[in-house]
Amino acid sequence: MTPPPPTAIRRRKLATDAIANWIAFATQIAVAFVMAPVLLHGLGVNHYGWWCLIQSVVGYLALLDMGIGAAVVRFVAKFESTADDDQLNRIFCTSLFVFSLAGLTATVTACLIAFMADTIFTVPPPLLPTIQVVLVLLGMNIGLELPLAVFGALLTGLQRYATLSVLRTSGGIVRAIALYLAIVNGGGLIALASISLAAMLLERTMITIAALRAYPKLRLSWSNITRDTWREISGYSVRAFTIQVCGRISYHTDSIVIGLFLAPAYVSYFAVAAALTERSKSSIGVLTYVLRTAASRLEGLGDTERLRKLYIESTRYALYLVVPLEAGLIVIARPFLELWMGPDIAQQSYPTAVVLAIAVLPLLAQNPGITMLYGVGNLNLLSRIRIIESICNLVLSVILVRPLGILGVALGTTIPSVVASLVLARYTMKLQQVRFREYFAHCLLKPFLGLPVLLGVWWVLLEAHPADSWIRLILVSLAGLSGYFAIAAILEFGPRVLWGWGLFPRNEVANRSSSP
């Protein structure tokens, strides 16, 4: 039996890695879906708002990653493929040293924020000690996670996606069970922060053990920490860090803006709406993440034609997922929120969710192209666009929060995002030498052909049978999606796919395929 060609092996590997990533992500989504109402109703709207606000503030300390994590993944993949163990060890040890300093800085910074919490935020005096303790615990969480994250980056660079998926999924489930038990037994914010810290340490310890087993040639030594290696890392990481900072401003500053200008309860309403779009974006991101290493290898081989083909095919396949996802965020979101969080929360959050959803389609349509930019190290223009987008986002959100409330903050996020996505679409098309006519025909056209069927089925079924239970909502969603993906399968694979599903006799399909 002759072995399959390299392209088939590569495609199979990409598909396997993407599926492993997505299964882990889907499990995390399911856990978050179950836990969100538990936390909201267990803590109360105000305390849940403080929990979301503190997480947003402390989350900025993760920016001390400085883009080094992305650089570690890129260089580990590069040097492992060339069997350059010495350089790989230098990359790892230098990154671990820098991350350790970053972790210490994060912990100290969190303690300073906790000390000044009463002046930064309007915290009720009885709640102040609790807020301060939570800030310190979550700061320690970031401080310890930063150096331990280097081992996760090592596994990613070695393309051990399945191992990472299993460990992260297991850690997330353990954390969720512990949080649930704490809430039902009357635990508050301090209990949640303590459990989050302990769960992170358990998960990262398991990942560290797995990384050491996956790469037994790893040598931790002070001699491997060099300035030349740091220059090599920083040359890539500075641009990645800039994009990371801008992304944090664009999509995670909203809660802080709302917390500064409106009551904490509005942070909860916005967080519920933003959770839908953030999870939707992440669901596509985990699938396309594997394109980084694929693009790096093709760029190293100088195979521009296969890079171009990878760009076209991955964009089209991503859109097959993004188009129904966008439709669902607008059509299905209202009954989903009512069942998930209750009618009152849904009434407050749904308009904001619709505005945020507008940016999802153009943003995720460019996700494969942007991921490939990371793979080939072409981040200059992307970093500039993200800087402009983040500044516009922050300015518009601050201007619109007073007259329009959380809806204004959503508009401040959506408008710059849509414009930036359109600019990036033009840039990635030019970079891959794809004309708009070709982009439209090979990327956009087919994913949108099934949209009328999807919307039509959903509209008819929701009018006839309101989705007032989870079973009905699931059945309505699956009915529309089945029609959409049936059309997608026919467009991609031709009439033969119908024979595979038993919808036509084999000879009839053969006759159709042979007819002019």
Side-chain angles (χ1 to χ4, degrees), residues 55-196:
Q55 285 187 312
S56 295
V57 172
V58 175
Y60 272 92
L61 297 177
L63 292 175
L64 291 170
D65 168 277
M66 296 180 292
I68 298 172
V72 173
V73 172
R74 171 174 165 78
F75 289 119
V76 165
K78 174 183 176 181
F79 294 126
E80 192 271 340
S81 65
T82 59
D84 193 342
D85 298 322
D86 292 337
Q87 188 63 11
L88 194 153
N89 273 285
R90 284 192 286 270
I91 289 289
F92 183 89
C93 292
T94 302
S95 301
L96 181 62
F97 175 73
V98 174
F99 268 142
S100 298
L101 295 179
L104 179 61
T105 303
T107 303
V108 173
T109 303
C111 292
L112 292 175
I113 295 174
F115 180 74
M116 299 184 294
D118 56 336
T119 59
I120 298 175
F121 305 104
T122 308
V123 185
L127 191 60
L128 180 60
T130 298
I131 297 298
Q132 290 176 323
V133 173
V134 172
L135 279 166
V136 171
L137 288 173
L138 292 183
M140 291 174 59
N141 193 320
I142 297 292
L144 293 171
E145 187 174 16
L146 279 169
L148 293 175
V150 185
F151 293 91
L154 175 63
L155 275 180
T156 303
L158 296 174
Q159 296 181 307
R160 302 299 177 91
Y161 293 102
T163 301
L164 273 174
S165 297
V166 170
L167 294 177
R168 286 173 176 168
T169 299
S170 302
I173 292 174
V174 170
R175 177 179 180 272
I177 293 173
L179 290 176
Y180 176 80
L181 293 175
I183 288 294
V184 298
N185 287 285
L189 295 174
I190 294 178
L192 273 95
S194 301
I195 291 170
S196 297

Side-chain angles (χ1 to χ4, degrees), residues 39-40 43 45-59 138 189 252 255-256 264 267-272:
L39 294 176
L40 178 61
L43 294 173
V45 174
N46 287 326
H47 278 209
Y48 182 72
W50 279 110
W51 176 250
C52 295
L53 181 59
I54 292 171
Q55 285 187 312
S56 295
V57 172
V58 175
L138 292 183
L189 295 174
H252 298 278
S255 295
I256 297 176
V267 178
S268 297
Y269 301 141
F270 188 91
V272 169

